[in-house]
Amino acid sequence: MPPTQIFRSDPPDVRLVQAFARPLDNAVATARTCYSSKGIVTTEEVGGDALPEEKRQVRRERRDALAKDLYAAGHHTTFQHAHFQFTLDRVSRQFVWSFLHSHPFYNSEQVSQRYVEVKPGTTIVPDLGNAKAQRIYEEAVARQHRDYHELREALTPVAASEFHKRFPARAHQPERWAGEIQKKAQEVARYALPIGTYCYLYHTVSALTLLRYHRLADQLDVPAEQRLVVRQMVEAVLQHDRQFEVLLEDPIPLEETIEHQFFAQNPGLRSQGMGDEARREFDASLGSLVSKLVAWKPENEALLAAAVREVLGVPTSALSDDAAISLVMDPASNSYLSSSLNVTTLSKLNRAMIHPSYTFRKKLSHTADSQDQRHRATPGSRPCLHAYLASEPDYVVPALVPLDERVERRYRESMERAWEAIGALRALGVSDEMACYLLPNAVSIRFTESADLLGLRHKLAMRLCLNAQEEIWRAARDESEQVRAVNPRIGAYFLPPCGPRMRAGIKPFCPEGKRFCGVPAWKIPMSEVVRTL
């Protein structure tokens, strides 16, 4: 079935809004410049713009041959110069999580369910080819959206109570803060929405990344939607510059991807309950933690100190380990750490932080992990979601929900109904790919994540802020406390964004202005903070 007929809902809207004028000419010009004795080679020279038609054709044949040769040889940096900016609308959150944001080489700005109310009728609807299955799917989507709106209303007084505990003075002007409280309730209610809910975004990639998209779009978890969106992206670029076509390889068929082959060769694993066993095994390893430190270099602190001395060219006698670590980690001595613009990757001294490293095993909801994966300097190996598609509900409960028994009961009923609908669809033969769109944002994602100290320090500085979403803040706190336990001289400097400013003497300590969280986190140990909002 052609991808356009797989969905009953309106197709994705893909538009190329910004692009290099001549991406292929640019790639060849950059390559030829490497070997040019006459200086910079221009795109006009590559395309032979000023030449007669016959000579221009010869010049372009040479261009195409060199482009193919560069591609085949793996000299791909030349294809990273040209960039394409797309607007994408009516694409699912699942597609964004599973494909667009599953790698480090992109930039996106997408609509936030934390701050923007989700309207009914904004979820992908596949054509299931079965009237009963179609009815179950569409009724489930409508019910999930009702659950979202009802939870949003039911959570508002709970959020208001917690908000006024944090900001007692604001209780005297409830109308002034009603919108902010509503957003706190909305932030939690979104856990009931299906991951098939639409979003819209700007998405910018290099020509090389687009080539990778085209080659590997047909893979788990959402191959039909991926094929459809990537095809439109490529077609938009070809309309802009038809010459780009010489670089396109045929896509790898789904059946030839290594993940699909594994499941095809081991068909009994799912029926034998291996997914359930894997979940139990993973969760038992976490204990009570959201994120557990499972590996680190035993020489982390010594490596950091030695690297600092190497950058500065001084011996141990001139700079002890303690002093070296403090020099690079303490915002009182390293002013870059309290700057709004993160310049640490460009600083010779700060790059000493790339040597220590840490690995965490963590469990987040789909919606929280969608934020976590945006930290591309702390990459993770995320699951094939189909492999974790359990018959029993498997979800995360935000901290605000259990504060009201009625709300918690309503929340859990919503989860139960979502999994019931998914089970009914699978019993009718609906593919896991399409059934997965009904999974709620709350569905558990289990994965392992690794980071060097440079990337981890920046991530924790952002996510230890109490304005960060509650679930991802909890993971950040787990990580900072565990690193502090094994590497105390490093972990002592894992601080929320107000902490470096306080140590550097920059006022106000909180950089958020009117968005101040209401807690003087610069002077309270994270282990003592109780968080519900």
Side-chain angles (χ1 to χ4, degrees):
M1 183 185 293
T4 52
Q5 298 177 22
I6 290 174
F7 300 105
R8 289 192 173 189
S9 48
D10 291 336
D13 181 53
V14 178
R15 303 186 186 191
L16 178 65
V17 293
Q18 302 285 347
F20 268 47
R22 297 157 65 169
L24 186 67
D25 287 353
N26 174 267
V28 173
T30 63
R32 285 181 52 190
T33 296
C34 294
Y35 304 99
S36 170
S37 61
K38 298 179 180 179
I40 301 295
V41 177
T42 67
T43 55
E44 289 76 13
E45 291 177 76
V46 169
D49 292 5
L51 299 176
E53 176 58 31
E54 183 176 338
K55 291 185 177 180
R56 185 163 63 243
Q57 183 62 30
V58 170
R59 181 73 59 86
R60 292 181 176 180
E61 288 175 0
R62 291 176 179 171
R63 174 202 63 195
D64 291 355
L66 178 54
K68 292 177 181 179
D69 182 63
L70 291 167
Y71 183 89
H75 300 311
H76 293 165
T77 57
T78 57
F79 306 118
Q80 287 182 281
H81 292 282
H83 274 69
F84 307 110
Q85 184 182 72
F86 300 91
T87 58
L88 307 178
D89 196 2
R90 296 193 298 272
V91 295
S92 73
R93 298 261 169 182
Q94 168 67 342
F95 162 67
V96 173
W97 172 82
S98 184
F99 187 78
L100 288 187
H101 292 173
S102 64
H103 65 100
F105 307 114
Y106 71 91
N107 193 42
S108 279
E109 312 301 331
Q110 77 183 81
V111 63
S112 171
Q113 289 181 343
R114 293 181 73 190
Y115 304 115
V116 178
E117 180 183 356
V118 177
K119 305 294 185 182
T122 53
T123 298
I124 197 166
V125 179
D127 188 338
L128 301 178
N130 177 305
K132 183 177 180 180
Q134 197 71 44
R135 176 178 55 78
I136 290 172
Y137 184 97
E138 294 182 20
E139 287 179 356
V141 168
R143 186 167 57 243
Q144 287 173 304
H145 279 265
R146 286 197 303 273
D147 291 345
Y148 161 73
H149 285 283
E150 290 174 9
L151 281 168
R152 185 169 172 261
E153 293 306 310
L155 281 161
T156 298
V158 186
S161 175
E162 295 302 301
F163 183 82
H164 292 137
K165 287 178 185 177
R166 186 183 291 184
F167 299 100
R170 296 184 183 181
H172 303 298
Q173 295 179 296
E175 67 287 344
R176 180 179 176 183
W177 306 104
E180 186 167 343
I181 291 169
Q182 183 77 78
K183 285 182 172 59
K184 297 292 186 184
Q186 179 172 286
E187 181 176 322
V188 176
R190 67 185 168 139
Y191 278 65
L193 288 169
I195 61 176
T197 302
Y198 286 146
C199 67
Y200 46 88
L201 65 155
Y202 276 90
H203 190 68
T204 303
V205 293
S206 71
L208 179 58
T209 294
L210 186 60
L211 291 170
R212 290 168 174 159
Y213 281 4
H214 181 260
R215 182 73 169 141
L216 202 55
D218 201 2
Q219 64 169 327
L220 302 176
D221 288 304
V222 281
E225 188 179 359
Q226 287 161 190
R227 287 196 302 267
L228 183 57
V229 175
V230 172
R231 180 182 300 175
Q232 291 187 54
M233 294 172 78
V234 170
E235 287 175 352
V237 169
L238 293 180
Q239 288 179 12
H240 173 71
D241 182 9
R242 179 58 58 178
Q243 313 306 322
F244 189 76
E245 190 169 20
V246 304
L247 298 174
L248 295 177
E249 285 189 86
D250 290 337
I252 297 173
L254 176 65
E255 294 74 20
E256 294 181 15
T257 61
I258 55 177
E259 298 87 356
H260 187 278
Q261 288 181 344
F262 175 83
F263 291 123
Q265 293 163 7
N266 298 275
L269 290 181
R270 298 288 301 281
S271 61
Q272 294 167 17
M274 291 296 180
D276 294 336
E277 183 179 339
R279 279 188 294 276
R280 289 192 297 269
E281 185 178 286
F282 189 102
D283 292 352
S285 75
L286 288 183
S288 61
L289 297 170
V290 174
S291 181
K292 183 175 181 178
L293 179 65
V294 293
W296 64 95
K297 292 179 183 176
E299 310 87 358
N300 271 339
E301 294 184 329
L303 280 171
L304 178 58
V308 168
R309 286 191 290 266
E310 290 158 7
V311 171
L312 299 175
V314 298
T316 306
S317 60
L319 192 66
S320 68
D321 282 5
D322 286 352
I325 292 171
S326 176
L327 181 63
V328 74
M329 293 292 298
D330 190 345
S333 55
N334 183 354
S335 61
Y336 299 157
L337 303 183
S338 56
S339 171
S340 296
L341 182 64
N342 180 19
V343 296
T344 56
T345 56
L346 298 180
S347 160
K348 292 181 183 295
L349 192 59
N350 280 268
R351 283 200 297 271
M353 285 191 272
I354 65 174
H355 303 297
S357 64
Y358 304 90
T359 296
F360 301 93
R361 184 174 294 136
K362 57 202 305 181
K363 175 181 171 183
L364 295 171
S365 69
H366 192 288
T367 192
D369 188 43
S370 294
Q371 295 181 41
D372 186 80
Q373 71 177 174
R374 297 300 302 279
H375 291 277
R376 283 157 281 180
T378 60
S381 52
R382 287 169 171 85
C384 298
L385 200 54
H386 299 178
Y388 283 80
L389 192 56
S391 56
E392 296 297 320
D394 177 27
Y395 57 90
V396 171
V397 180
L400 197 65
V401 167
L403 298 182
D404 184 298
E405 289 184 7
R406 182 176 61 92
V407 169
E408 183 175 12
R409 184 167 58 253
R410 185 72 179 81
Y411 182 87
R412 294 190 183 279
E413 288 171 354
S414 178
M415 300 298 129
E416 293 281 350
R417 287 195 294 262
W419 262 268
E420 285 175 6
I422 291 168
L425 291 177
R426 297 176 77 198
L428 290 169
V430 172
S431 70
D432 288 349
E433 175 185 359
M434 298 307 171
C436 269
Y437 281 123
L438 288 184
L439 285 169
N441 278 335
V443 64
S444 299
I445 305 296
R446 298 168 175 84
F447 61 103
T448 295
E449 185 174 270
S450 292
D452 61 39
L453 176 58
L454 189 68
L456 182 63
R457 189 218 65 85
H458 177 68
K459 175 181 176 177
L460 295 184
M462 298 294 99
R463 295 305 184 174
L464 285 173
C465 175
L466 270 75
N467 278 335
Q469 190 254 6
E470 172 261 326
E471 195 183 339
I472 198 171
W473 171 87
R474 205 167 297 281
R477 185 181 66 174
D478 283 352
E479 291 164 11
S480 66
E481 292 297 312
Q482 291 171 90
V483 171
R484 185 174 288 111
V486 298
N487 291 154
R489 290 178 291 181
I490 289 175
Y493 297 110
F494 284 166
L495 304 166
C498 52
R501 291 170 63 90
M502 182 273 292
R503 292 192 66 84
I506 299 173
K507 293 185 177 181
F509 297 152
C510 175
E512 292 288 326
K514 65 180 182 180
R515 294 182 299 275
F516 172 50
C517 71
V519 178
W522 55 85
K523 63 180 181 181
I524 301 176
M526 283 293 106
S527 59
E528 297 179 10
V529 176
V530 177
R531 179 90 192 270
T532 54
L533 287 176

